[in-house]
Amino acid sequence: MSEYQHYQFLAADRPLTDEQLTEIRKLTTRAALTRTTFLNTYQWGDFKGDCDQLMERYYDGHLYFANWGYRRIILRWPAQQLPLSVAERYCSGESAEAREHGKHVLITLVSDDEDCELDDFNDLFDFSDYGQDSGREEEWLPTIARARPDVAAGDLRLLYLAWLLCLGNGDLNEDEVEPPLPAGLAALPEPLVDLATFLRIDPDLISAAAALSPPPSPHYNNDQYTVADLRRRCSLEHPDTAPVEARRTVAQLKAAALASTAQRLTREERERADHEEAQRQLAQAAQRARIDVIEGDPEAAWNRVHEMIAHQRGRNYPAAVQLLEDLAVLAGRNGTTEAFTARYRALRKQHPTKRALLRLLDAAKL
């Protein structure tokens, strides 16, 4: 797949009218349009419309990505639910911009990494090497847009992630101080996890920033705007869950992120070692059980090895080699290693042209 671009828009608060759909259709004849969604992909050419204008006039959410590394999210709120002054405090770099248009506030979040691996793109969006997809690329925006009501209700974690995006992309000076730290940064809900993943925000940076974040605010099952006022009042009644002035600098957070990375790598290495040791012990136990079975009749085991090699061809070579390994261990236990070695060498001489078998035997180091 040499080129791929994906455009998606979402009308989350109210469906579009017939007149609005007609206006949008004039921009593109090939987009899949409904009263709430817009979807278009390109493997050549480009969308001729203005994404900012579509967001200003019709939609509440926009997502764009291309397989050369560029990703963009635009989200929109009524200005009375997200004041521009609040958004600007967090969206303070080239990677995160806040602006006001009419009665709405919009934020644009951008991740541009031309050095990203195509394999990473394919894995993230479930694309095959031939451009086939599973529909995963259409799920990102609806999930991420579910964070909008939380922001309207006073949850500023999305905005803080926007500031971390700027920090991670090198938009901020080292001595700049972080904005108010929201509660619950260490327990991100699915929409914000997807947002951070889509925009490639460093998980270790999020972990470092979350170290001073208070516990999350009380959760309400209904996330519609009708409960926004209730949640705002709850925040006032529980000031410990409101954003705090942690006042760490960009340089301090970068250092903390490096420490978080080191701790994670150490933890992962310990977990990997523990897993490998557990697997080794399981393998040893399984081998002991197999040896107990063949110990009563080693000759039958040798015959089975010859049968698997001679009659069942390559598909059972691994099982034959495993059985030889078991016979080698049994020979060591019984003091008959010299006899095993002689039979093993004779077996190899019988099959000099079976390269796949010989490679497996060499790897086993019998």
Side-chain angles (χ1 to χ4, degrees), residues 33 59 98 101-102 179 199 206 226 245 254 256 279 291 317 320 348:
L33 285 180
Y59 293 106
H101 180 83
L199 294 173
I206 298 175
T226 54
E245 297 286 344
K254 285 183 177 180
Q279 293 299 111
I291 292 174
Y317 285 173
R348 289 187 64 116

Side-chain angles (χ1 to χ4, degrees), residues 5 40 43 116 142 170 260 272 287 289 296 334 348 352:
Q5 297 183 79
N40 208 350
Q43 296 191 32
C116 72
S260 179
R272 183 194 62 79
Q287 186 179 59
N334 296 338
R348 289 187 64 116

Side-chain angles (χ1 to χ4, degrees), residues 144-161:
I144 292 170
R146 293 199 336 250
R148 293 176 59 254
D150 292 327
V151 175
D155 183 346
L156 302 183
R157 286 179 292 181
L158 185 149
L159 296 180
Y160 191 89
L161 289 176

